[in-house]
Amino acid sequence: MNKKLNTAIFIIAGTIVDVILAFIFASALLLLLYACRGLIPQTAMSLMVPVAVVAGIIIAMLIYQRLAAWVIEKFNLEDKLSPIFKTRKNPRD
């Protein structure tokens, strides 16, 4: 397989993992809000639901970035994938 196909497969699999992570974290934050429904006024709760969903998506993206970097390093995939983004290497390296 060539590098572009490997990269496409990696991105598709990563997108699926990212969507699953976003669903898990958004659901967890919404369940946490639901558990605290007696402590939070209804007006504040209606504002916190979209914040919880967005926060779940952001948390999932951050975890996915670290997970993707770990997978690339762990399985030595750098030479098997096309570079999508240029990395900022220290010029002294």
Side-chain angles (χ1 to χ4, degrees), residues 21-40 45 48-56 59:
L21 286 173
F23 178 77
I24 290 169
F25 285 109
S27 297
L29 290 173
L30 289 172
L31 285 173
L32 183 64
L33 279 177
Y34 181 74
C36 297
R37 70 186 180 280
L39 304 172
I40 301 171
M45 184 68 80
M48 293 175 78
V49 168
V51 171
V53 172
V54 171
I59 291 169

Side-chain angles (χ1 to χ4, degrees), residues 5-89:
L5 181 60
N6 291 343
T7 303
I9 292 170
F10 186 80
I11 290 173
I12 291 169
T15 302
I16 292 168
V17 169
D18 193 27
V19 169
I20 291 170
L21 286 173
F23 178 77
I24 290 169
F25 285 109
S27 297
L29 290 173
L30 289 172
L31 285 173
L32 183 64
L33 279 177
Y34 181 74
C36 297
R37 70 186 180 280
L39 304 172
I40 301 171
Q42 185 65 29
T43 55
M45 184 68 80
S46 63
L47 294 173
M48 293 175 78
V49 168
V51 171
V53 172
V54 171
I57 293 169
I58 291 171
I59 291 169
M61 287 183 347
L62 294 173
I63 290 176
Y64 168 71
Q65 284 179 337
R66 291 181 184 229
L67 182 64
W70 178 80
V71 167
I72 289 171
E73 184 179 323
K74 173 81 173 167
F75 297 105
N76 197 19
L77 299 177
E78 290 174 356
D79 59 336
K80 295 170 186 69
L81 300 173
S82 294
I84 298 171
F85 305 107
K86 302 293 182 198
T87 58
R88 290 184 232 162
K89 295 276 185 174

